[in-house]
């Protein structure tokens, strides 16, 4: 098979990249871009980070970078990784390596100058692609064919790859969700099913990171169903995910030109409370709060009167409103799209008003500082909302003093 080329691709013009290549070359080493950057560039998709593999040892790399005036950070030097900062951009540069010992979580590695050995230890064939400074693509394990077919396939023996790092089970499903098409690789799926108990060794942080990326993938609904059937989600979370609702949210969002956020997808997929989800997935404070807001929001619907919709929108805010509407819309298969579309678009049609009275205003009327200020504010706000948000500051304060 004739290999494609990335000659002239924008990835090679990234600020500072060629400086790193030149620094390594001047030190007598070889370097290539590796992994996701090559994969996404070949697929015509957005490249987020550029990782580099090199024949230089970490110590040699640090010396080469310093000689070229580049800053380095010892990101994971025991595993051969050094971050090189060039022209304001950061590049993770890792020495070619092979595994000496693995325990399903961390590996002890030995450095090498053998590109084939480095490729053989990687997870999937479409992640074991390399690209030189001038755009020549290298494919030691047949990744190009799998990339064209959008097949996620383990490098070598799937059982061995998984036993090296059990996170690869989740990564298998995540990559199928993001990049896969057609039939899933049967050998890979069978190995994931057989070895899924190894997932119990993983940290909740790692599980959360992979789950977020998986749920945001194109085929998330289909993949979650597959994981349910394989027992993966019960192993991870003690419960199956709601594959049908997740698929409905994704399909609905796509038909409306909406990009669903992670909170909406998680609320649809995992039928657990926000606190339990936060613990299982190590959600950030912002994510956990957003999830609680969505789960506790009064479900908006076309059945609400316009005035009632505005009250709910005022109480939830725009972001939570749209998340809650999308979820309720996906659950209501019999509702007309036009009705729900109007509900979803309310924040663009009606600007949420700002309550015109503050605590300082309450104090200025002579109310003693303390709990009574908050009570007065709440009472006035409730009256203002019930009246359709029409009363101005003077009317509200006059009500307080009468």
């Amino acid at each position: 098979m004739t290999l494609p080329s990335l000659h002239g691709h924008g990835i090679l013009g990234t600020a500072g990249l060629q400086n790193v290549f030149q620094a390594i070359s001047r030190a007598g080493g070889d370097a290539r871009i590796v992994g996701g950057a090559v994969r996404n560039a070949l697929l015509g998709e957005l490249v987020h980070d550029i990782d580099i593999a090199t024949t230089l040892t970490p110590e040699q790399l640090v010396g080469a970078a310093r000689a070229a005036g580049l800053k380095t950070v010892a990101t994971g030097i025991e595993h051969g990784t050094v971050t090189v900062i060039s022209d304001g951009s950061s590049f993770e540069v890792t020495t070619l390596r092979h595994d000496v010992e693995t325990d399903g979580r961390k590996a002890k590695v030995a450095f090498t100058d053998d590109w084939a050995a480095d490729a053989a230890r990687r997870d999937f064939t479409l992640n074991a692609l390399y690209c030189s400074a001038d755009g020549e693509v290298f494919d030691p394990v047949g990744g190009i064919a799998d990339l064209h077919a959008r097949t996620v396939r383990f490098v070598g023996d799937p059982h061995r790859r998984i036993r090296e790092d059990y996170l690869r089970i989740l990564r298998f499903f995540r990559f199928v969700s993001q990049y896969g098409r057609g039939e899933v690789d049967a050998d890979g799926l069978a190995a994931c099913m057989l070895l899924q108990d190894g997932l119990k060794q993983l940290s909740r942080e790692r599980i959360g990171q992979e789950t977020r990326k998986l749920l945001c993938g194109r085929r998330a609904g289909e993949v979650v169903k597959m994981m349910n059937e394989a027992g993966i989600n019960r192993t991870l979370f003690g419960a199956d995910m709601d594959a049908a609702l997740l698929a409905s949210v994704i399909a609905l969002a796509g038909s409306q030109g909406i990009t669903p956020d992670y909170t909406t997808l998680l609320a649809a997929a995992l039928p657990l409370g926000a606190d339990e989800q936060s613990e299982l997935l190590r959600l950030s404070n912002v994510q956990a709060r957003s999830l609680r807001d969505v789960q506790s929001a009064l479900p908006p619907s076309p059945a609400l009167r316009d005035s009632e919709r505005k009250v709910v929108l005022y109480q939830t805010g725009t972001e939570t409103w749209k998340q809650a509407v999308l979820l309720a819309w996906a659950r209501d298969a019999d509702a007309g799209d036009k009705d729900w579309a109007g509900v979803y678009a309310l924040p663009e049609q009606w600007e949420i008003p700002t309550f015109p009275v503050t605590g300082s205003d309450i104090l200025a009327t002579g109310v003693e500082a303390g709990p009574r200020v908050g009570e007065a504010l709440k009472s006035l706000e409730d009256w203002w909302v019930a009246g359709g948000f029409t009363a101005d500051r003077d009317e509200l304060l006059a009500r307080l003093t009468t």
Side-chain angles (χ1 to χ4, degrees):
M1 176 186 292
T2 302
L3 294 179
S5 171
L6 289 174
H7 180 74
H9 192 281
I11 185 178
L12 299 173
T14 302
L17 176 63
Q18 294 298 331
N19 293 339
V20 178
F21 276 124
Q22 291 165 13
I24 292 172
S25 178
R26 283 195 293 267
D30 191 10
R32 298 171 186 171
I33 301 171
V34 63
V38 183
R39 177 197 67 229
N40 282 20
L42 289 170
L43 290 174
E45 298 192 6
L46 183 66
V47 172
H48 298 284
D49 300 303
I50 297 177
D51 296 331
I52 300 171
T54 182
T55 56
L56 295 184
T57 66
E59 293 76 14
Q60 291 171 332
L61 174 62
V62 169
R66 288 176 178 170
L70 305 178
K71 182 180 177 181
T72 62
V73 179
T75 310
I77 201 163
E78 70 278 8
H79 293 105
T81 300
V82 175
T83 296
V84 180
I85 301 172
S86 174
D87 198 19
S89 298
S90 297
F91 305 91
E92 282 199 356
V93 186
T94 303
T95 303
L96 301 184
R97 54 194 177 169
H98 63 85
D99 292 336
V100 174
E101 181 181 334
T102 61
D103 63 3
R105 291 176 298 173
K106 297 180 180 179
K108 292 182 180 180
V109 300
F111 302 136
T112 180
D113 59 1
D114 185 343
W115 291 95
D118 185 77
R121 69 173 298 278
R122 295 184 178 271
D123 51 7
F124 309 116
T125 60
L126 49 70
N127 288 337
L129 298 169
Y130 303 79
C131 172
S132 68
D134 62 2
E136 183 180 1
V137 173
F138 299 86
D139 178 18
V141 294
I144 292 296
D146 287 336
L147 193 69
H148 287 326
R150 296 288 190 127
T151 298
V152 180
R153 193 188 315 278
F154 284 97
V155 174
D157 178 12
H159 300 81
R160 180 176 178 179
R161 292 287 83 78
I162 290 171
R163 288 191 176 99
E164 290 167 351
D165 184 355
Y166 287 106
L167 187 67
R168 286 173 173 168
I169 295 176
L170 263 183
R171 285 174 61 81
F172 176 80
F173 291 108
R174 190 254 285 190
F175 274 89
V176 172
S177 177
Q178 289 182 308
Y179 300 103
R181 288 181 185 166
E183 293 295 322
V184 174
D185 178 60
D187 291 339
L189 178 58
C192 290
M193 292 176 63
L194 180 66
L195 300 173
Q196 63 182 283
D197 276 353
L199 292 168
K200 297 173 184 177
Q201 298 184 29
L202 302 178
S203 71
R204 287 295 165 183
E205 287 79 6
R206 297 180 85 191
I207 292 172
Q209 291 165 4
E210 289 298 320
T211 300
R212 179 181 60 80
K213 295 174 183 177
L214 187 158
L215 292 180
C216 293
R218 300 179 182 92
R219 297 177 66 183
E222 177 186 349
V223 169
V224 162
K225 180 181 179 182
M226 187 188 314
M227 293 170 70
N228 286 344
E229 293 170 348
I232 301 293
N233 287 322
R234 290 188 295 280
T235 298
L236 285 170
F237 310 119
D240 283 341
M241 287 191 176
D242 192 335
L245 180 57
L246 177 63
S248 181
V249 168
I250 293 170
L252 173 61
S255 71
Q256 299 297 313
I258 300 168
T259 300
D261 62 278
Y262 174 48
T263 299
T264 307
L265 297 169
L266 183 57
L270 198 54
L272 300 172
D275 290 340
E276 191 172 359
Q277 289 183 353
S278 182
E279 176 63 24
L280 287 171
L281 297 169
R282 294 295 190 270
L283 301 180
S284 69
N285 291 336
V286 172
Q287 289 170 337
R289 186 165 52 250
S290 178
L291 195 58
R292 285 190 205 97
D293 290 344
V294 172
Q295 290 182 343
S296 62
L298 176 67
S301 86
L304 294 176
R305 295 190 295 268
D306 182 65
S307 59
E308 294 171 328
R309 295 180 193 179
K310 289 176 179 177
V311 170
V312 177
L313 174 55
Y314 176 78
Q315 293 171 339
T316 63
T318 297
E319 183 176 356
T320 301
W321 170 270
K322 290 192 171 184
Q323 293 167 337
V325 170
L326 192 58
L327 281 169
W329 189 355
R331 289 187 175 106
D332 188 5
D334 296 329
D337 285 351
K338 184 176 181 181
D339 293 336
W340 275 106
V343 176
Y344 186 86
L346 181 59
E348 279 72 53
Q349 300 164 354
W350 180 71
E351 183 177 354
I352 299 175
T354 301
F355 183 51
V357 176
T358 67
S360 297
D361 295 326
I362 301 296
L363 289 170
T365 66
V367 174
E368 184 179 350
R372 291 189 61 191
V373 174
E375 293 168 3
L377 275 173
K378 181 66 169 61
S379 176
L380 284 180
E381 186 177 18
D382 287 346
W383 181 78
W384 178 69
V385 170
F389 312 96
T390 57
D392 61 20
R393 176 177 175 276
D394 291 340
E395 289 177 271
L396 289 162
L397 292 176
R399 178 179 175 81
L400 186 65
T401 56
T402 55

